[in-house]
Amino acid sequence: MHLLHHQIVLHHPGFTNILKREINEIYLIHSIRGFAFSLFGNFVPIYLLTLEFNLGLVLAFFGIRQISTAIFSLFAIGPIANRHGLKHTMLLSMPLAFVYLITLTLLRSVPSSGLLLTIAFVGGIQASLYWMPLHSLFSR
């Protein structure tokens, strides 16, 4: 009886409409974000090298960004997503992505290695706040 109830609910037209709408929302936000980050993502290393950061510091930038993404992912899917929800956690990453992009452009006026590594850390946090909830939502 219990299993039959779940099968009926899953095939109810209202449920499938809600599911389609949620999947479309996920695709929409992922497409917008993917388009924005693909416009500049390939040029970040070139940009950093033209600002006369050495290759080791540019590699450290990406290494710190990846490490901070891995470390902060534990918090993004745990306490933050449990408190705010998966969609709101994804939306929380958007202001941080904006800060990440703006501060990258500000490096031109203040080329500092400390600022560069801080930007890498912020980039890692915003990436984990986006990718971990996205995978959780999509797996549902």
Side-chain angles (χ1 to χ4, degrees):
M1 174 73 176
H2 187 64
L3 180 62
L4 180 62
H5 172 72
H6 285 295
Q7 289 176 348
I8 291 171
V9 169
L10 289 177
H11 295 295
H12 188 272
F15 180 78
T16 55
N17 289 338
I18 291 171
L19 187 62
K20 286 179 186 177
R21 188 184 78 224
E22 287 191 9
I23 288 174
N24 286 338
E25 290 172 355
I26 292 171
Y27 280 138
L28 178 66
I29 195 169
H30 187 64
S31 298
I32 292 170
R33 181 183 166 88
F35 179 71
F37 275 87
S38 68
L39 284 176
F40 78 90
N42 294 332
F43 299 106
V44 170
I46 297 167
Y47 172 69
L48 295 176
L49 290 171
T50 58
L51 292 178
E52 298 182 2
F53 289 110
N54 62 21
L55 184 60
L57 197 55
V58 172
L59 291 175
F61 171 82
F62 287 106
I64 288 174
R65 188 173 185 275
Q66 291 298 90
I67 290 169
S68 64
T69 300
I71 291 171
F72 201 76
S73 291
L74 301 171
F75 299 104
I77 202 64
I80 296 173
N82 283 336
R83 175 175 285 180
H84 300 290
L86 293 171
K87 287 183 183 177
H88 288 113
T89 304
M90 285 176 69
L91 290 175
L92 184 64
S93 75
M94 295 304 168
L96 284 175
F98 185 70
V99 167
Y100 172 71
L101 296 175
I102 293 299
T103 53
L104 267 176
T105 60
L106 292 177
L107 271 175
R108 182 174 300 270
S109 60
V110 185
S112 159
S113 59
L115 180 61
L116 180 68
L117 299 180
T118 303
I119 293 170
F121 185 72
V122 170
I125 291 172
Q126 66 86 21
S128 65
L129 286 175
Y130 176 76
W131 285 107
M132 293 308 291
L134 175 75
H135 292 303
S136 296
L137 281 170
F138 201 74
S139 68
R140 279 199 223 164

